[in-house]
Amino acid sequence: TREVLKELTGNVVKPLGPTLLQVPDRPARIGVLESFTSQMFASRGTHGWGVSWEADAHLVLQWAQLQPQILFEEQILRDGLADLDVLVMPACDVLTESVATAIAAFQTRGGILVADENLAPRLTPDILIESYRRTGRPDEDKAVLQAKAAQLRRELDPYVERYGESDNPDVVVRFRQSGNNDYLFVINDHRAFGDYVGHHGRVMEVGLPSSAAVTVRRAAGTVYDLVDHREVPTRSIDGGLVFDTDLGPGDGAVYLIPDAPIADVDIEAPASVTRGQEAHLAVTIRSIDGVPVGAVVPVEVEIADASGVRAEYSGYYGAADGALSIDLSLATNDEPGDWIITVRELASGKVASKVMTVLP
């Protein structure tokens, strides 16, 4: 865990964090209700642990290559269900009158209700998914839950088109979105019993490699690996893009998909600036069309003073709409001479440099 956490921090959190903080989830079309009323009056709920049927229902949706949003009753009453196509209701034995009325109206307008045999009797599910209680054998339990995921896919396919999916249920996908630009997370969930605690048959603690073909249903786009900082080969299908991903044990990946390929990085900086003053730096990441990329692009800025020492304002940034502005305040005792500003965008890996002379 220590080594993996170090790798995750160094390869994902630090370089991509400033970008991902600016990028929300893709709007959800599928919701999962966690009913507080059922938790209080029917002893349901996860209670902070992922061992209940409600948590497993969420896993089923992920293995079915669906991207659910967890909902609470207050959200339904406040925001309604107009944005959803499917509402999944695991362990919803008891509901308030107002929530049940809202869900009935959702069904009446054509929304699909997926629920188990415990659903409050006022409502009738369009698709029944029987609840499952784990046996304590994680390999057998996972096989049952993935079978439920495959069955749910078959039943929803005539009504719901997935925006993205992998052809391997052990490779889970999830999208964020900024404008027309997608940020795709891919996680390898392929595991087996190891020799640490696996011999007890309770935990599948060893990760195994996985491969998958990932489909994204968008008319155009270029796929970039934000961890390896490179363009990924794609092939076109009717109404979408497909690319291959190979993941190591316990591995994952993050991809950026803008409409047009990234062409270059441009840095604007003053030719010279006097110590104690401020230098304005402007960075632009342009697409092949010659305009700034519309996405939030992760960039690494490296500012080296005249002695080659890494200066303040160096670090990782998220360039919103392909643009980044930095006001570099120089101290009165900063090293005079030629400073080198280097910017590397972390999608295609393109690099640009600029020399700025600091005067005494």
Side-chain angles (χ1 to χ4, degrees):
T1 301
R2 178 181 61 192
E3 296 303 320
V4 171
L5 187 58
K6 177 182 178 182
E7 179 184 356
L8 177 68
T9 301
N11 294 343
V12 179
V13 177
K14 284 185 176 180
L16 304 184
T19 292
L20 297 177
L21 284 171
Q22 302 180 60
V23 181
D25 263 350
R26 180 177 172 79
R29 305 300 302 173
I30 297 175
V32 181
L33 175 60
E34 285 208 14
S35 169
F36 176 77
T37 312
S38 296
Q39 291 179 22
M40 292 298 102
F41 292 101
S43 299
R44 300 295 188 178
T46 62
H47 301 286
W49 296 88
V51 293
S52 67
W53 165 235
E54 294 96 316
D56 283 341
H58 192 273
L59 280 176
V60 166
L61 291 168
Q62 290 184 86
W63 282 325
Q65 306 296 316
L66 301 166
Q67 182 165 322
Q69 174 191 4
I70 294 176
L71 298 174
F72 302 102
E73 284 149 324
E74 293 92 336
Q75 290 173 270
I76 291 178
L77 297 176
R78 183 191 66 200
D79 303 330
L81 296 167
D83 294 334
L84 296 185
D85 298 323
V86 180
L87 179 64
V88 183
M89 299 179 64
C92 289
D93 309 57
V94 184
L95 299 170
T96 63
E97 174 68 23
S98 54
V99 168
T101 299
I103 294 171
F106 164 78
Q107 266 190 297
T108 299
R109 71 160 177 82
I112 298 173
L113 183 60
V114 179
D116 58 30
E117 70 279 6
N118 300 306
L119 181 64
R122 175 179 170 180
L123 300 171
T124 301
D126 299 296
I127 296 175
L128 177 67
I129 178 170
E130 292 187 356
S131 63
Y132 179 73
R133 186 180 181 88
R134 293 195 184 212
T135 64
R137 290 288 305 179
D139 53 344
E140 297 174 6
D141 292 337
K142 183 176 181 180
V144 171
L145 292 172
Q146 287 193 332
K148 287 183 176 293
Q151 176 63 27
L152 182 60
R153 283 188 66 162
R154 288 191 291 270
E155 294 192 65
L156 282 177
D157 271 348
Y159 314 105
V160 176
E161 182 180 65
R162 294 165 202 81
Y163 182 70
E165 61 184 309
S166 81
D167 64 353
N168 180 349
D170 278 336
V171 176
V172 177
V173 301
R174 187 172 184 90
F175 287 88
R176 293 189 186 187
Q177 187 181 56
S178 175
N180 198 38
N181 307 281
D182 291 313
Y183 298 75
L184 170 58
F185 294 75
V186 178
I187 300 171
N188 178 12
D189 189 42
H190 191 194
R191 292 172 286 115
F193 293 110
D195 56 9
Y196 179 52
V197 293
H199 56 282
H200 297 294
R202 305 287 292 181
V203 179
M204 300 168 71
E205 83 276 29
V206 171
L208 300 174
S210 275
S211 297
V214 178
T215 300
V216 183
R217 290 182 176 85
R218 53 181 292 155
T222 304
V223 178
Y224 293 102
D225 187 324
L226 295 184
V227 177
D228 289 341
H229 318 305
R230 61 180 179 86
E231 184 177 342
V232 177
T234 62
R235 51 192 182 274
S236 296
I237 61 169
D238 185 20
L241 302 171
V242 179
F243 66 93
D244 297 318
T245 182
D246 296 307
L247 301 169
D251 201 3
V254 188
Y255 299 97
L256 166 62
I257 312 177
D259 283 331
I262 295 172
D264 57 49
V265 179
D266 180 68
I267 304 172
E268 292 183 13
S272 63
V273 61
T274 303
R275 290 189 299 183
Q277 295 183 349
E278 190 173 80
H280 179 71
L281 312 180
V283 177
T284 305
I285 296 97
R286 290 191 173 85
S287 72
I288 198 170
D289 300 324
V291 298
V293 175
V296 184
V297 182
V299 297
E300 181 181 12
V301 177
E302 188 75 21
I303 303 172
D305 69 15
S307 299
V309 177
R310 193 170 189 261
E312 194 178 2
Y313 298 93
S314 296
Y316 296 105
Y317 296 84
D321 294 324
L324 174 66
S325 179
I326 299 174
D327 290 322
L328 176 59
S329 296
L330 295 165
T332 55
N333 61 346
D334 271 331
E335 187 79 17
D338 289 340
W339 288 38
I340 300 177
I341 303 163
T342 303
V343 176
R344 180 189 184 206
E345 56 87 5
L346 302 181
S348 70
K350 290 182 171 59
V351 179
S353 294
K354 191 89 168 182
V355 175
M356 180 181 70
T357 303
V358 173
L359 305 174

